[in-house]
Amino acid sequence: MPSSPHFRLPLTRRGFLTASAALGTALALAPAPARAAGHAPCPFGRYGSPAARLTPRTLYVDPSGQGDFTTVQAAVTAASGSGWTLVIAPGTYRETVSVDVTRTGMTWLGAGDDPREVVIVYDNAAGTPKPGGGTYGTTGSATTLLQADGFSARHITFANDWLRADHPGMSGTQAVAIKVQGDRSAFHHCRFLGHQDTLYADSMALGVFARQYFSHCYVEGDVDFVFGRGTAVYEHCHFRTLTRTDLASAPYGFVFAPSTAGANPRGYLVTRSRVTSEAPDAYYKLARPWVPSSDPTARPSLTVRDTHLGPGIDAVAPYTNMSASFPWQEQRFAEYRNTGPGAEITAPENRPQLSAAQAESATREAYLGDWAPWKEGR
């Protein structure tokens, strides 16, 4: 990712700019190579250019002006109807982006070799004042809002870099990097960065069971940072819990907070993934159920299987309540064949396990039905 004076993520805060991410650091800090006059390379790599489009319905975004548009939202606005592809050049796009329900079948391709190179970021929080009065609320805080069916993205970072430390006393600390509501929404090799409520995997309405798929993705945060009522499969993903300086004791937060509708047989499935942490051992819960006031009949559903749980997860009591009225034991939480110190079963009553027979239906195929997005990501 090229450096930018407007990018507000300190080097100590985000995984893609830390010293542990050598590529990201190099991209952020290294000066651009000298270019001969008149010979600037095409920023879109193998994805063509405005002079040689992949398809007639391909648009190119580049902050330096070598594409059709310099912002992602401008390209989305121009791409009315279905079946558009946006090729997004390496750079930092400090903007909010919204894809409404009419723009179905849209694909975003990060033109870099790594998702750190293409970053869409803004810094609204739920409590941020709106220009016309009031505050944004959780949904309004989203940097990127995706409502159309059939969306897919590859090699892109979606971020919200709002910081609690910059706003002491603000109560609305939810700050969403992306809210996904469309059915058949797929993300391959993407990154989702934030603190509270990073990745909002949801649907357009209570009775709509939107399917979503996240493959080889990275998600970081602290409080309920993967949440919502969508039917979502997370495969080969890395979830990273962040440290906190504003709290003196555990728990710092919760990885998952599903709010699955009671009528929906399937909520979140995490498979062949891993959970790591910057925080002290056992300072994070794996999940808590979210039963929102808008749907008191919700029965949150989460299955974590074949996944490595690092020491940051409280192995003795990995689940807790968001409300005493809806205890986690009455929800649909389960595990199967997990490994690591955070998966150690020391209190069996706190670690509901699937049987082998039950695990046969806890698969991506069962969750996603006739949609097979893992084939599209090859």
Side-chain angles (χ1 to χ4, degrees):
M1 179 187 71
S3 61
S4 167
H6 302 296
F7 194 60
R8 303 176 187 174
L9 301 181
L11 292 179
T12 57
R13 179 169 177 258
R14 295 291 190 226
F16 74 99
L17 289 180
T18 61
S20 63
L23 176 59
T25 302
L27 290 169
L29 301 180
R35 297 174 178 173
H39 295 281
C42 174
F44 305 110
R46 63 188 181 279
Y47 295 120
S49 68
R53 298 182 189 276
L54 287 179
T55 70
R57 296 178 79 81
T58 300
L59 298 174
Y60 294 85
V61 185
D62 174 47
S64 69
Q66 295 188 62
D68 301 302
F69 303 94
T70 58
T71 68
V72 178
Q73 184 61 62
V76 169
T77 300
S80 60
S82 301
W84 286 89
T85 296
L86 271 56
V87 178
I88 306 174
T92 298
Y93 299 83
R94 178 161 284 278
E95 56 177 306
T96 58
V97 185
S98 179
V99 179
D100 67 29
V101 296
T102 67
R103 290 167 165 80
T104 56
M106 180 174 282
T107 297
W108 293 3
L109 301 174
D113 294 324
D114 188 282
R116 296 172 178 88
E117 298 182 58
V118 178
V119 180
I120 302 171
V121 60
Y122 209 72
D123 61 349
N124 282 331
T128 300
K130 295 172 66 174
T135 57
Y136 281 99
T138 300
T139 291
S141 75
T143 298
T144 301
L145 175 64
L146 303 173
Q147 297 182 315
D149 292 345
F151 179 89
S152 66
R154 295 183 178 90
H155 295 106
I156 296 173
T157 292
F158 300 89
N160 189 317
D161 63 350
W162 186 90
L163 288 171
R164 294 185 189 94
D166 294 341
H167 305 274
M170 182 182 287
S171 58
T173 57
Q174 301 89 344
V176 177
I178 188 169
K179 181 172 183 176
V180 187
Q181 295 180 281
D183 185 39
R184 292 174 289 106
S185 299
F187 300 83
H188 305 277
H189 301 277
C190 289
R191 293 167 71 83
F192 306 91
L193 311 179
H195 278 265
Q196 183 172 354
D197 292 5
T198 303
L199 171 54
Y200 196 168
D202 206 54
S203 71
M204 284 297 293
L206 179 59
V208 176
F209 305 155
R211 296 165 295 174
Q212 300 166 16
Y213 179 69
F214 301 83
S215 171
H216 298 89
C217 290
Y218 172 88
V219 192
E220 72 177 25
D222 50 38
V223 178
D224 304 333
F225 64 94
V226 182
F227 74 115
R229 67 174 171 234
T231 294
V233 174
Y234 307 89
E235 185 170 39
H236 298 295
C237 289
H238 178 189
F239 303 92
R240 179 81 167 165
T241 61
L242 301 177
T243 194
R244 296 183 64 173
T245 59
D246 59 316
L247 294 179
S249 61
Y252 277 180
F254 322 89
V255 181
F256 301 100
S259 58
T260 321
N264 188 352
R266 297 178 178 88
Y268 289 175
L269 172 65
V270 180
T271 179
R272 294 186 285 180
S273 296
R274 60 188 172 119
V275 179
T276 65
S277 183
E278 294 179 357
D281 291 357
Y283 265 52
Y284 272 87
K285 304 292 187 181
L286 184 61
R288 62 178 182 172
W290 176 30
V291 180
S293 58
S294 60
D295 180 22
T297 65
R299 285 198 65 219
S301 170
L302 167 71
T303 294
V304 181
R305 62 171 300 170
D306 303 297
T307 289
H308 184 87
L309 306 180
I313 296 300
D314 180 356
V316 176
Y319 306 104
T320 190
N321 299 333
M322 189 177 295
S323 167
S325 301
F326 304 100
W328 72 263
Q329 293 90 342
E330 296 179 5
Q331 313 311 319
R332 294 174 286 179
F333 285 2
E335 302 177 50
Y336 184 68
R337 293 194 315 194
N338 294 322
T339 60
E344 184 177 353
I345 302 175
T346 58
E349 67 275 15
N350 293 336
R351 308 300 299 250
Q353 302 290 311
L354 297 179
S355 67
Q358 290 171 327
E360 290 180 1
S361 62
T363 64
R364 62 188 185 184
E365 290 83 0
Y367 273 63
L368 302 181
D370 59 358
W371 179 47
W374 51 89
K375 296 180 180 179
E376 303 166 6
R378 295 174 181 172

